[in-house]
């Protein structure tokens, strides 16, 4: 492992929901280098990756159930679960359809609850769960005016606190990371003007890279 970081080797299993791109893919890459057995659960596999890939469409509850059942059948114990998957939308809440609101919460929040619920007894005692929020949760959506996205990430922070209480008696650590603007496909799908505004608003004058997280 990298200097100053805990040793992650020893054959443990890491499941990353959202390992097909962005921060999730960076986590998969680093964990594999550190000796973990890595499983990515996503709509698509990361290009040229050598870790295991399980297809899932987080918009579809049946797809989530099938994916988690496959993991239970094939993987045994999970030592760490990271849920990085999510979608954003800059449309103001006052202009967003209820269908789109439901889709964002379905992908960003409900699917995370389903994964934790369906795999909780497969996570090893003393293991770890890491969920991903966003700095947008504390900034009302930031420059994107992405208030629905921000509210979904606020829900993730509440979920983190709740399941931390639920799993404390098993020694399972539950934490949440709230990255700032990061060079991921989700952000880079925005217009060049918005990306420049985001960069100008950061202290470092640049985007964070996924492998820095």
């Amino acid at each position: 492992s990298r200097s100053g970081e805990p040793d992650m080797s020893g054959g443990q299993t890491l499941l990353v929901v959202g390992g097909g791109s962005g921060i999730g893919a960076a986590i998969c890459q680093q964990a594999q280098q550190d000796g973990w057995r890595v499983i990515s659960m996503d709509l698509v596999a990361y290009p040229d990756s050598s870790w295991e890939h399980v297809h899932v469409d987080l918009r579809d509850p049946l797809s989530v159930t099938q994916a988690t059942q496959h993991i239970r059948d094939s993987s045994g114990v999970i030592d760490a679960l990271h849920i990085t998957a999510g979608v954003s939308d800059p449309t103001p809440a006052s202009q967003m359809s209820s269908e789109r609101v439901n889709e964002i919460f379905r992908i960003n929040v409900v699917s995370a609850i389903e994964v934790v619920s369906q795999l909780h007894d497969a996570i090893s005692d003393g293991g770890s769960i890491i969920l991903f929020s966003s700095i947008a949760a504390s900034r009302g959506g930031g420059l994107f005016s992405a208030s629905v996205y921000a509210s979904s990430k606020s829900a993730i922070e509440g979920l983190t606190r709740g399941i931390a209480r639920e799993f404390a008696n098993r020694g399972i650590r539950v934490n949440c990371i709230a990255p700032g603007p990061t060079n991921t496909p989700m952000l880079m799908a925005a217009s060049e003007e918005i990306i420049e505004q985001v960069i100008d608003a950061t202290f470092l004058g640049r985007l964070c890279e996924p492998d820095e997280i």
Side-chain angles (χ1 to χ4, degrees), residues 76-101:
V77 172
I78 297 167
D79 299 287
L81 168 64
H82 292 192
I83 303 180
T84 68
V87 295
S88 183
D89 191 323
T91 305
S94 59
Q95 300 174 25
M96 187 177 291
S97 69
S98 59
E99 290 80 10
R100 182 56 172 159
V101 171

Side-chain angles (χ1 to χ4, degrees), residues 23-164:
I23 295 171
I27 291 170
C28 289
Q29 289 174 322
Q30 184 59 53
Q32 188 175 63
Q33 291 175 19
D34 289 341
W36 286 73
R37 176 194 177 194
V38 176
I39 306 169
S40 167
M41 210 170 97
D42 209 332
L43 192 62
V44 297
Y46 186 71
D48 301 321
S49 58
S50 57
W51 52 80
E52 299 173 48
H53 170 72
V54 176
H55 173 83
V56 69
D57 184 346
L58 298 178
R59 297 168 297 184
D60 180 4
L62 178 58
S63 179
V64 173
T65 299
Q66 291 172 336
T68 57
Q69 187 60 53
H70 174 80
I71 289 167
R72 293 178 66 89
D73 292 343
S74 63
S75 302
V77 172
I78 297 167
D79 299 287
L81 168 64
H82 292 192
I83 303 180
T84 68
V87 295
S88 183
D89 191 323
T91 305
S94 59
Q95 300 174 25
M96 187 177 291
S97 69
S98 59
E99 290 80 10
R100 182 56 172 159
V101 171
N102 289 337
E103 182 178 49
I104 290 172
F105 269 79
R106 164 72 227 168
I107 294 171
N108 292 2
V109 184
V110 177
S111 69
I113 296 172
E114 290 172 344
V115 169
V116 171
S117 173
Q118 293 168 19
L119 292 177
H120 71 93
D121 56 349
I123 300 172
S124 62
D125 291 351
S128 173
I129 300 173
I130 298 180
L131 304 177
F132 277 75
S133 177
S134 166
I135 195 171
S138 59
R139 293 190 174 183
L143 291 172
F144 283 98
S145 298
S147 53
V148 175
Y149 170 73
S151 61
S152 75
K153 290 303 184 179
S154 294
I156 286 294
E157 294 179 6
L159 176 63
T160 301
R161 296 183 183 98
I163 61 176

